[in-house]
Every structure is written in structure tokens, then in C-alpha cells.
């Protein structure tokens, strides 16, 4: 007689048919996010009149906060609301933040008075900054519910076609990159040449369309119900292990398993016992005081729950390795942007590249790399390695680390070339003058960052989704964004320390600084980080899982 699964399994839906709705949401949402974020430094310096260092730190702090809020969104999705409703609610919050930003850019009293040639400018007062920061906070909270859930929600739709899930991550990132490309060109051009009212109004409208597109696909989605708070389970395992810290682990020790208790959190398969991090095994040791029929989960945990915590702990070192790559990439929207603003940005007599649009080269190289990876690299690598995705996600991440290292190394030499051109033209002490050197000299560092992102970021997403416990995938995906948060805050800390302890990063005259030393410092840190990553990848233990039998539409095992 078939055995009924205790978890409520809805009628099978999902599949490729849901991808247009999810990708449409991602494209419009990223158009809104990047449409402001990419040119935010220009807005803070030219409209709010903040000093360069303060503006750069505001930008990285905003990025860091935006990347921390996914932990909150992931918790709500995994514990209470589910991914669909979390995405929907968060999108509405983000919409309110974008409307507020647009209003602050249009209403004169919410900005300091304009000034000519950047001289004697009045910095934004506390009230004006409060409106700006509140708007940014709303967008950060909204993105916190969208970011960790959309990628997991999309991968959930392909759960029945696991062999093609890796393709989803490639094309999800491709759609995201295409949207960023549009934001870096069309939206930035509108902001610089037409005005910030239109430049923010269009992304705000795009955000509204993203909500409509996503909700429209509601009848087609696979919507997994939340399985309870993952953080509570992690705390229970920790508490149980601590309570039994004096219980010896012997070969005869009985480790507790209860499939009925774990049914809601192990639909895809039961996690098998691993021999590392043995202290946590004490949480599953059965003692005379334990009631097996109605266990106190703060004293006795199942093997599956113990292995959930072990999986997250094992992922920690790999997660930490990604921080410095974000720190390196963060300079594209801060000091690399300032380099671009000082250089000749004319392609011909009639067209000048907006400085903030230089990241278009990052996006083009990233998109090109994704297509090359999917269509050329994977088929060749598959024949050599026998791996369906061509190479493991750990190998893919390692390639990304190495290319990012090359990007900051090259950036230092390009800055030397820019300063030589400024010195040759007698412009060292004229920070607002255009240095007679083409902005296209910056292309190599932007392109290398794009190639590195195509390898590292997608590999990182694959790693978190694949290695995370099934019931914690939103939470694990949030770790991807948390690494961005940590990288942004690390950038802020590094910039502040270097600015206070040296003359490398002056506030007003980049020509008198030593930005190349800053780039090479990041290169050295990345080299040490790369060595650290190789050690972590070599020692990493993959998640062992025993697949469960599939269930039919009524929730019965087949």
C-alpha cells in the first residue's frame, strides 16, 4: 500500500513555461536597481554635493546593506510566507522606495541648490539626506526579499529536470546582465543628459511592470510550502549538542533518525551522516532521558537536522573566499568611475560615453562569456571531464578568482598611464580638466571584471543552491548576497584605512593620488585569498544525500 507523504505536495506545475515570467521579473527589477545604483556616485557628488570619499562610502554601505537584507527575506520565505509571496511583497516595498527616490530627485527642496563647475557647493543637509537614506533603505528591504528568492524560486520550477538546472543559472544571470547593460547605457544616458526625474522615473515604471509580470504567472508556478524556521532548527541542533557535550561518541552510539518528523524538510532526499564536525553528532545521540515518541528537539535532533547545520558550516570557508572578489569589483563604481570622468570619453565629435556607462564593457564581456561558456566551453569540457556542466562549480569559481586578480593588477598600470598623460599635458593640478587620453584605456579592467563575474558569481550561485539543505535554499542563496554585503563593507573599510593612513586616495584631485598602489594592494590581497580558496576547495566535503521516492499528485510515493 502506498505511503502518504506528510508534506502538502501541490499539483505538479512549473517547468520551462514559467521561465518568461520569472526572467521578465528579473529583467525589470534589475533595470530599476541598476538604473539608479550604477550612477549613484554621480548623483551623490553632482546633485547632493557630497565629497568623493563620503559618496564612495555611502555607495558601498548602501550596497552592503542591500546585500544583508536577503537574510531577512530568506528567513520569511523559508519559515512563513514561501518564496512566491515573499517576492511579491518585497517587490511592492521596493516600488515604494523607487517612487520616493524619484520624488526626491524632482522636488527642489529635497536637494541642495545647484552650483557651477563644482565650486563652493552647498552639501546636502541632514533632512535632505534623511529622505534619500530612507528611500534607499526601502529599496534595500525590498531587494532583500527579491534577491534570495527569485533564483531559488526559478530553480524550483525545474526540479523535475535537474540535469538542466545549471543552464538556468547561466541564463538567469544572462537576463540579469542584459538588464544591467540597458541600465548602464539607456538609463544612465537619460540621467546625465535629460534629467534625474526621467532617469529615476523610468526604472520606477520598470519595477511596476516587474510586479505585474511575476504575478501574472501565478497559476503556472510550483509553489513549495515553507517548512518552518531554518534558524530555529539550527539553534536546536546547537543547543542539543551543547547539552550533550559530555556524552562520549562511540562506535556503538545510536544516532536518532525519524523520517516522519523530517518529512516536511527532506522531500527531495534525506541527508546522510558524515564523519566531520563530530561534536554536532552529539545532538543526535539517543540517551536514556530522551523520549523517542515525542522528542524534545532542543535536546535530541535527527541526523538530517544535524547534517543541515554541518552543510552550512562546510560552506562557510568557500563563502568567505568570495568577499574579496566583491571588494575588487566594487571599485568599478567608485574610483574607476572617477578615472573615467577625468578622461576623454568622446568616441567621435558627436558622441561622448557617460562615465557611469563604462560598466557596459563589464556587462558585454560577462554576457559574451556566458554564451561562450554555455555553447562552446561546456561541450568541450564535458568530453574531457565527463561532468554534465563541464566543470564543477568549485573549478568555475577558481577561474573567476584568478581572472579578477588579473583585473586589479592591470588596473594599476592603466592608472599610471592616465597620470602620465595628465602630467604631459600639465593638468596634474587641474582635477576637473579632461586628461588627453581615451577612456577606452579602461576597457581591459572592466572586461576582465565581467569575465571573472561570469565564472565566479554563477559558480557561487550554483554552489549555494546545490550544496544547501533543501529546506534552506532561500537562506543559502542569501549567503551569496551576504558575501556581496561583506565585500562592500570590506571595500569601505579598506578605502577608509588607506585614505586615513596614506595619500593614495585624495578627495578632490585623483591626479595627485596613488590609486595604482591601492589597486595593487587589492591584487596582493586577492592573491592570498586565491591560495586560501584552493585549500578550502581541496578540503571541501560535498553534501551526501539519499534520494526519496517521488510522489504523485495526491502526495503518495510512487
Amino acid at each position: 500500500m502506498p505511503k502518504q507523504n506528510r508534506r502538502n505536495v501541490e499539483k505538479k506545475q512549473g517547468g520551462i513555461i514559467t521561465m518568461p515570467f520569472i526572467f521578465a521579473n528579473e529583467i525589470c527589477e534589475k533595470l530599476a536597481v541598476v538604473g539608479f545604483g550604477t550612477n549613484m556616485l554621480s548623483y551623490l557628488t553632482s546633485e547632493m554635493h557630497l565629497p568623493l570619499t563620503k559618496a564612495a562610502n555611502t555607495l558601498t554601505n548602501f550596497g552592503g546593506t542591500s546585500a544583508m537584507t536577503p537574510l531577512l527575506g530568506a528567513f520569511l520565505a523559508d519559515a512563513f510566507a514561501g518564496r512566491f509571496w515573499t517576492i511579491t511583497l518585497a517587490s511592492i516595498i521596493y516600488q515604494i522606495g523607487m517612487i520616493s527616490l524619484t520624488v526626491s530627485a524632482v522636488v527642489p527642496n529635497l536637494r541642495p541648490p545647484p552650483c557651477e563647475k563644482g565650486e563652493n557647493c552647498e552639501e546636502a543637509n541632514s533632512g535632505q539626506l534623511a529622505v534619500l537614506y530612507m528611500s534607499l533603505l526601502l529599496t534595500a528591504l525590498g531587494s532583500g526579499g527579491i534577491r534570495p528568492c527569485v533564483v531559488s524560486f526559478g530553480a524550483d520550477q525545474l526540479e523535475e529536470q535537474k540535469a538542466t538546472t545549471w543552464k538556468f543559472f547561466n541564463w538567469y544571470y544572462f537576463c540579469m546582465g542584459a538588464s544591467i547593460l540597458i541600465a548602464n547605457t539607456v538609463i544612465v544616458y537619460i540621467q546625465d543628459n535629460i534629467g534625474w526625474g526621467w532617469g529615476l522615473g523610468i526604472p520606477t515604471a520598470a519595477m511596476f511592470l516587474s510586479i505585474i509580470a511575476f504575478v501574472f504567472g501565478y497559476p503556472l508556478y510550483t509553489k513549495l510550502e515553507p517548512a518552518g524556521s531554518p534558524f530555529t532548527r539550527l539553534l536546536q541542533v546547537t543547543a542539543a549538542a551543547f547539552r550533550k557535550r559530555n556524552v562520549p561518541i562511540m562506535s556503538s552510539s545510536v544516532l536518532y533518525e525519524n523520517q516522519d518528523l523530517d518529512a516536511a524538510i527532506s522531500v527531495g532526499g534525506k541527508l546522510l551522516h558524515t564523519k566531520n564536525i563530530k561534536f554536532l553528532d552529539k545532538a543526535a545521540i539517543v540517551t536514556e532521558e530522551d523520549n523517542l515518541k515525542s522528542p524534545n528537539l532542543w535536546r535530541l535532533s535527527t541526523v538530517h537536522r544535524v547534517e543541515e547545520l554541518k552543510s552550512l558550516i562546510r560552506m562557510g570557508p568557500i563563502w568567505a573566499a568570495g568577499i574579496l572578489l566583491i571588494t575588487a569589483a566594487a571599485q568599478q563604481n567608485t574610483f574607476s568611475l572617477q578615472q573615467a570622468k577625468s578622461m576623454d570619453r568622446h568616441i567621435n565629435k558627436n558622441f561622448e560615453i557617460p562615465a557611469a556607462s563604462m560598466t557596459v564593457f563589464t556587462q558585454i564581456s560577462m554576457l559574451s562569456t556566458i554564451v561562450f561558456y554555455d555553447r562552446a566551453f561546456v561541450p568541450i569540457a564535458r568530453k574531457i571531464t565527463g561532468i554534465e556542466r563541464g566543470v564543477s562549480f568549485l573549478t568555475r569559481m577558481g577561474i573567476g578568482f584568478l581572472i579578477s586578480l588579473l583585473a586589479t593588477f592591470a588596473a594599476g598600470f592603466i592608472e599610471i598611464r592616465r597620470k602620465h598623460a595628465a602630467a604631459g599635458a600639465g593638468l596634474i593640478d587641474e582635477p576637473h580638466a579632461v586628461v588627453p587620453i581615451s577612456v577606452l584605456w579602461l576597457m581591459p579592467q572592466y572586461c576582465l571584471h565581467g569575465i571573472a563575474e561570469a565564472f565566479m558569481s554563477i559558480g557561487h550561485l550554483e554552489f549555494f543552491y546545490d550544496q544547501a539543505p533543501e529546506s534552506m535554499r532561500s537562506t543559502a542563496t542569501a549567503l551569496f548576497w551576504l558575501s556581496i554585503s561583506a565585500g562592500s563593507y570590506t571595500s569601505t573599510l579598506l578605502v577608509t584605512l588607506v585614505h586615513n593612513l596614506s595619500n593614495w586616495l585624495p578627495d578632490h584631485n585623483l591626479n595627485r593620488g596613488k590609486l595604482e598602489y591601492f589597486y595593487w594592494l587589492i591584487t596582493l590581497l586577492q592573491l592570498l585569498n586565491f591560495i586560501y580558496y584552493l585549500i578550502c576547495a581541496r578540503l571541501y566535503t560535498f553534501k551526501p544525500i539519499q534520494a526519496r521516492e517521488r510522489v504523485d499528485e495526491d502526495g503518495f510515493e510512487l
Side-chain angles (χ1 to χ4, degrees), residues 333-465:
N333 291 326
T334 54
F335 295 108
S336 294
L337 177 61
Q338 286 303 111
Q339 288 177 289
K341 291 177 71 172
S342 73
M343 301 168 77
D344 182 6
R345 291 179 275 117
H346 286 89
I347 299 300
N348 53 46
K349 293 182 180 180
N350 299 318
F351 182 74
E352 183 180 25
I353 303 176
S357 291
M358 283 301 295
T359 52
V360 69
F361 296 111
T362 302
Q363 300 308 316
I364 290 175
S365 63
M366 184 193 73
L367 295 176
S368 301
T369 302
I370 291 174
V371 174
F372 171 80
Y373 185 91
D374 186 79
R375 298 300 179 185
F377 180 82
V378 169
I380 295 173
R382 184 185 294 140
K383 293 179 180 179
I384 298 173
T385 64
I387 301 175
E388 175 64 24
R389 54 169 54 94
V391 295
S392 71
F393 31 71
L394 292 179
T395 300
R396 184 172 186 171
M397 291 164 60
I399 295 172
F401 280 125
L402 186 59
I403 296 174
S404 177
L405 187 153
L406 296 175
T408 49
F409 185 64
F413 290 103
I414 294 170
E415 171 61 7
I416 290 176
R417 180 70 182 84
R418 189 196 68 82
K419 289 201 300 183
H420 281 171
L427 300 175
I428 288 293
D429 292 315
E430 297 186 33
H432 300 294
V434 176
V435 178
I437 180 175
S438 173
V439 75
L440 297 181
W441 273 89
L442 296 177
M443 275 185 60
Q445 66 195 64
Y446 278 100
C447 289
L448 285 171
H449 278 300
I451 297 171
E453 185 176 358
F455 278 92
M456 169 61 192
S457 294
I458 299 177
H460 223 183
L461 276 174
E462 285 186 274
F463 169 74
F464 286 127
Y465 185 84

Side-chain angles (χ1 to χ4, degrees), residues 39 182-195 199 350-354 356-357:
N39 213 15
I182 295 172
N184 287 340
T185 52
V186 178
I187 301 301
V188 169
Y189 181 84
I190 292 172
Q191 290 169 349
D192 286 351
N193 294 278
I194 298 178
N350 299 318
F351 182 74
E352 183 180 25
I353 303 176
S357 291

Side-chain angles (χ1 to χ4, degrees), residues 125-159:
N125 60 41
S126 57
Q128 293 164 340
L129 288 176
V131 174
L132 174 68
Y133 293 156
M134 181 58 66
S135 302
L136 294 178
L137 178 61
L138 287 173
T139 62
L141 290 173
S143 66
I146 298 170
R147 289 179 176 183
C149 296
V150 168
V151 64
S152 298
F153 186 76
D156 287 343
Q157 310 308 311
L158 300 175
E159 190 68 20

